[in-house]
Amino acid sequence: MELERPLVRDAFPDLIAELVTLLEDEGEGELAICVRDVPLVAMCDCGDDFCQSIHTAVHPKDQPYGEGHRCVPLLSSKGMLVLDVIGTQIMYIEVLDREPMHNQLGPKS
């Protein structure tokens, strides 16, 4: 039985709205649709104070994503947003050097 996870859009609705707009602006329409439903698997635990990145798929730590992996950098007006993608599956949302995001679901997710 697969664990039901909250969606990133429920925890960080402003981030997802921004990602949808930026992806559409970059001509990444399919990813703009997909990003609306990515699960919040885990917050990054790197410990860097400038990082608020989000794991959106289960993936072994310190392992390459493998064939078909691509990075999708987005032109955000604040900080850095980069998606790690395999095909149309968003694996990771890199969120760097931005104002603290407030998790709408509370501290546990």
Side-chain angles (χ1 to χ4, degrees):
M1 182 169 90
E2 190 170 319
L3 177 67
E4 186 161 331
R5 301 179 190 279
L7 298 177
V8 175
R9 74 169 181 234
D10 294 330
F12 303 106
D14 294 341
L15 174 65
I16 294 301
E18 181 180 6
L19 288 172
V20 167
T21 299
L22 293 172
L23 286 163
E24 288 172 346
D25 290 349
E26 290 293 320
E28 295 280 0
E30 196 165 355
L31 288 179
I33 292 168
C34 293
V35 79
R36 292 177 174 105
D37 294 321
V38 293
L40 196 162
V41 172
M43 298 301 293
C44 180
D45 63 355
C46 71
D48 291 332
D49 61 354
F50 58 85
C51 178
Q52 300 177 82
S53 299
I54 303 167
H55 296 273
T56 59
V58 175
H59 182 79
K61 189 172 183 157
D62 298 325
Q63 296 296 311
Y65 285 109
E67 190 173 331
H69 171 254
R70 66 185 179 114
C71 288
V72 180
L74 299 169
L75 297 174
S76 174
S77 63
K78 45 195 170 186
M80 281 182 54
L81 293 174
V82 180
L83 303 182
D84 282 301
V85 177
I86 297 176
T88 58
Q89 183 178 9
I90 299 168
M91 305 292 289
Y92 190 72
I93 302 171
E94 196 168 359
V95 181
L96 304 173
D97 295 321
R98 293 170 59 100
E99 292 294 317
M101 298 188 302
H102 301 285
N103 187 336
Q104 301 300 310
L105 298 176
K108 291 196 174 203
S109 295

